[in-house]
Amino acid sequence: MVEGYSVRQLVQQSGHSRPWLYRLIDSFLDDVPPVTQIEHQTARYLLFDGTFLHRPHSIAVLMDGQAHRVVRGQFDVRENSVPELRSFFEPMMAEGLYPVSLTVDGNRQVIRVLKMLWPDVIIQRCLVHIQRQGLSWCRISPKTSYARQLRYIFTRVIGITTVLERDAFLSLIEVWEARYGAEIKARKETGRVFSDIKRARSMLLLAMPDMFHYLDDPHIPTSTNGLEGYFSRLKSHYRQHRGLSAHKRSNYFAWYFYFKPR
């Protein structure tokens, strides 16, 4: 199937035989597409994220956050692998890509590589990832007062549009941290619920310095939602092509990024 059409429908609409269509598709999958020419000088506010298709196979995509166009995508790039991340970004760096900002989900290895390649780049943490993960770790109906208050803080992450709102949000964290932070950090409890609260606290404190750069520059995207939608469409199309060999799978995604940059 191609783009939602069965082979039978394609035969009917094109007038070509099934074997001819299969040969055409195989001719594409046996080769890689030409390199898409991206105006790197205009791609300055970027989004980066990765997603699993089926473990351990994943894809990584860099998108222009203003044009909502893929700058580069690649199959089988692991977000926790520094060498693979470098090999993904370095060709674009050599071609003149020099981003002002990159909005990312907070993966430490990704941030490490980005800072290594572009020391002056602004790292904007994806607010949707922070809120989603924080609320998950705090649970829907937390039993303790510190968890309930922390959950309330995470509900406020999205929608901060002014410096005054940012300062009020940071004050909430400061008050919560003064009351509960040292105690939570010191406790040796290893239960799953309490461990998740510790994770939520740690994530929030680490993310704080890079949560609100968009208030200084409104061009900076606050989330990687543009990529979430792109991944959803990509996976829907890919499910129609299960069973591809490793070589053809890699080329399939290369052609997908070429034909479907948005």
Side-chain angles (χ1 to χ4, degrees), residues 20-74:
W20 187 92
L21 287 172
Y22 278 127
R23 287 196 298 272
L24 177 64
I25 293 170
D26 283 340
S27 71
F28 275 95
L29 295 179
D30 284 335
D31 202 0
V32 295
V35 176
T36 303
Q37 296 299 316
I38 300 294
E39 292 294 334
H40 290 117
Q41 291 78 13
T42 62
R44 306 299 302 279
Y45 299 91
L46 304 173
L47 317 175
F48 175 78
D49 202 0
T51 187
F52 281 106
L53 298 165
H54 43 77
R55 294 179 185 273
H57 300 295
S58 60
I59 58 173
V61 174
L62 184 71
M63 176 177 278
D64 185 329
Q66 294 182 294
H68 301 289
R69 180 183 177 90
V70 170
V71 176
R72 187 181 183 199
Q74 187 175 326

Side-chain angles (χ1 to χ4, degrees), residues 179-196:
R179 184 170 182 182
Y180 301 112
E183 174 192 350
I184 288 174
K185 182 179 180 180
R187 282 171 59 178
K188 304 299 182 182
E189 186 177 335
T190 58
R192 183 177 176 183
V193 173
F194 184 74
S195 294
D196 282 350

Side-chain angles (χ1 to χ4, degrees), residues 24-241:
L24 177 64
I25 293 170
D26 283 340
S27 71
F28 275 95
L29 295 179
D30 284 335
D31 202 0
V32 295
V35 176
T36 303
Q37 296 299 316
I38 300 294
E39 292 294 334
H40 290 117
Q41 291 78 13
T42 62
R44 306 299 302 279
Y45 299 91
L46 304 173
L47 317 175
F48 175 78
D49 202 0
T51 187
F52 281 106
L53 298 165
H54 43 77
R55 294 179 185 273
H57 300 295
S58 60
I59 58 173
V61 174
L62 184 71
M63 176 177 278
D64 185 329
Q66 294 182 294
H68 301 289
R69 180 183 177 90
V70 170
V71 176
R72 187 181 183 199
Q74 187 175 326
F75 174 68
D76 254 2
V77 175
R78 293 172 295 176
E79 288 185 273
N80 289 318
S81 169
V82 170
E84 290 179 20
L85 289 169
R86 287 187 66 111
S87 69
F88 177 84
F89 287 111
E90 283 177 344
M92 293 179 286
M93 182 184 182
E95 292 165 5
L97 182 68
Y98 199 87
V100 172
S101 74
L102 270 145
T103 301
V104 297
D105 67 1
N107 183 292
R108 293 184 183 182
Q109 298 289 47
V110 170
I111 294 174
R112 176 185 170 193
V113 170
L114 294 178
K115 284 292 190 181
M116 197 183 303
L117 298 179
W118 296 288
D120 299 326
V121 73
I122 297 169
I123 299 297
Q124 169 67 47
R125 290 289 300 272
C126 172
L127 300 185
V128 171
H129 275 86
I130 293 171
Q131 184 178 74
R132 184 189 300 152
Q133 186 61 74
L135 291 176
S136 174
W137 277 332
C138 289
R139 308 298 195 271
I140 294 176
S141 301
K143 307 301 181 185
T144 61
S145 59
Y146 57 77
R148 286 194 295 270
Q149 292 177 38
L150 185 57
R151 189 180 196 283
Y152 173 73
I153 289 172
F154 279 112
T155 65
R156 300 285 300 275
V157 168
I158 302 296
I160 295 172
T161 59
T162 68
V163 171
L164 287 176
E165 291 173 346
R166 177 202 64 191
D167 292 345
F169 175 82
L170 295 177
S171 293
L172 285 175
I173 299 175
E174 184 179 355
V175 170
W176 185 91
E177 182 67 13
R179 184 170 182 182
Y180 301 112
E183 174 192 350
I184 288 174
K185 182 179 180 180
R187 282 171 59 178
K188 304 299 182 182
E189 186 177 335
T190 58
R192 183 177 176 183
V193 173
F194 184 74
S195 294
D196 282 350
I197 292 296
K198 294 184 78 169
R199 291 188 185 98
R201 170 184 175 267
S202 177
M203 177 189 68
L204 186 59
L205 295 179
L206 287 172
M208 279 172 56
D210 292 320
M211 286 177 65
F212 301 110
H213 294 302
Y214 66 92
L215 294 177
D216 300 318
D217 186 342
H219 295 108
I220 297 176
T222 61
S223 76
T224 59
N225 276 1
L227 276 174
E228 296 286 339
Y230 186 82
F231 287 150
S232 178
R233 296 188 296 275
L234 182 151
K235 289 179 180 180
S236 176
H237 292 146
Y238 172 65
R239 281 192 286 269
Q240 302 170 20
H241 298 276

